[in-house]
Amino acid sequence: MFNLNKAKEAQQRLSNLISLEYSGKPIKTIGAVDCSYDFSRQLIAAVVVILEINSLRLLTEVESQDRIPLPYIPGFLNFREAPVIFKAWRKLASPPDVLLVDGNGIAHPRRMGLASYIGLLLDQATIGCAKSPFFPYQPPAIERGSTSPFYNDRGEQVGLCLRTRTGIKPVFVSPGHKMDISTAARIVLKLARYRLPEPLRLAHQRAQQVFRSKS
DNA sequence: GCGACAG
DNA sequence: ATCTTGTCGC
């Protein structure tokens, strides 16, 4: 069964393997992943979508389901959502150049948020784009594109608070794996027409549909 | 001991 | 995450 201390040790050990450098390869395809739940049946679903970076045209979509493996424990979302995400990932013919994840990357108590965990185990460039942070932050200026750095409890910068829409609550961008802070923020801003980047909005919408037989 | 705490 | 449509405001 799940052991909190073992889990912490694993996260800390894995965090040393994270790369904060992007290959520099031009990005042609962008992926996004999100999960949804059916608590009445204890099921979790993961959807991965891949879009063409400029046209935002949907190229691929895969989905998988599983029993919910663990209750939600702050700081351990990776052990809850990664398994079903890996299951869906195996259905992909080819991976995207970069994968967006709904959650944090290195902006995590042990620098091992869901985005970093997924990126590391899949050897995939990932970006964490969270709707709320683990750490305190200073709100960026009100205009779209404004940013403010935020730090973990050790004083290390772990991401950028990014205003993707003027006057709207910012998002919290942090590298997952094979990614750097500024490139991550640049990509998220480029893809954001609304608060969240389009690929994540699509993945979220599709994940929701899984447990809703209607339209 | 108490409150915080991605989704 | 999820329960849930319309409504008010930029």
Side-chain angles (χ1 to χ4, degrees), chain A residues 14-15 18 20 78 101 104-108 111-122 124 126-128 174-177:
Chain A
L14 293 173
S15 69
I18 289 297
L20 295 180
N78 60 320
V101 180
N104 291 294
I106 63 170
H108 174 277
R111 302 181 66 104
M112 192 44 61
L114 180 63
S116 293
Y117 186 75
I118 289 174
L120 189 64
L121 274 60
L122 295 177
Q124 163 74 41
T126 59
I127 294 173
S174 62
H177 181 46

Side-chain angles (χ1 to χ4, degrees), chain A residues 20 106 150 157-160 173-175 179-186:
Chain A
L20 295 180
I106 63 170
F150 65 101
Q157 188 189 346
V158 289
L160 278 173
V173 183
S174 62
M179 181 57 56
D180 61 83
I181 294 177
S182 58
T183 298
R186 179 176 59 72

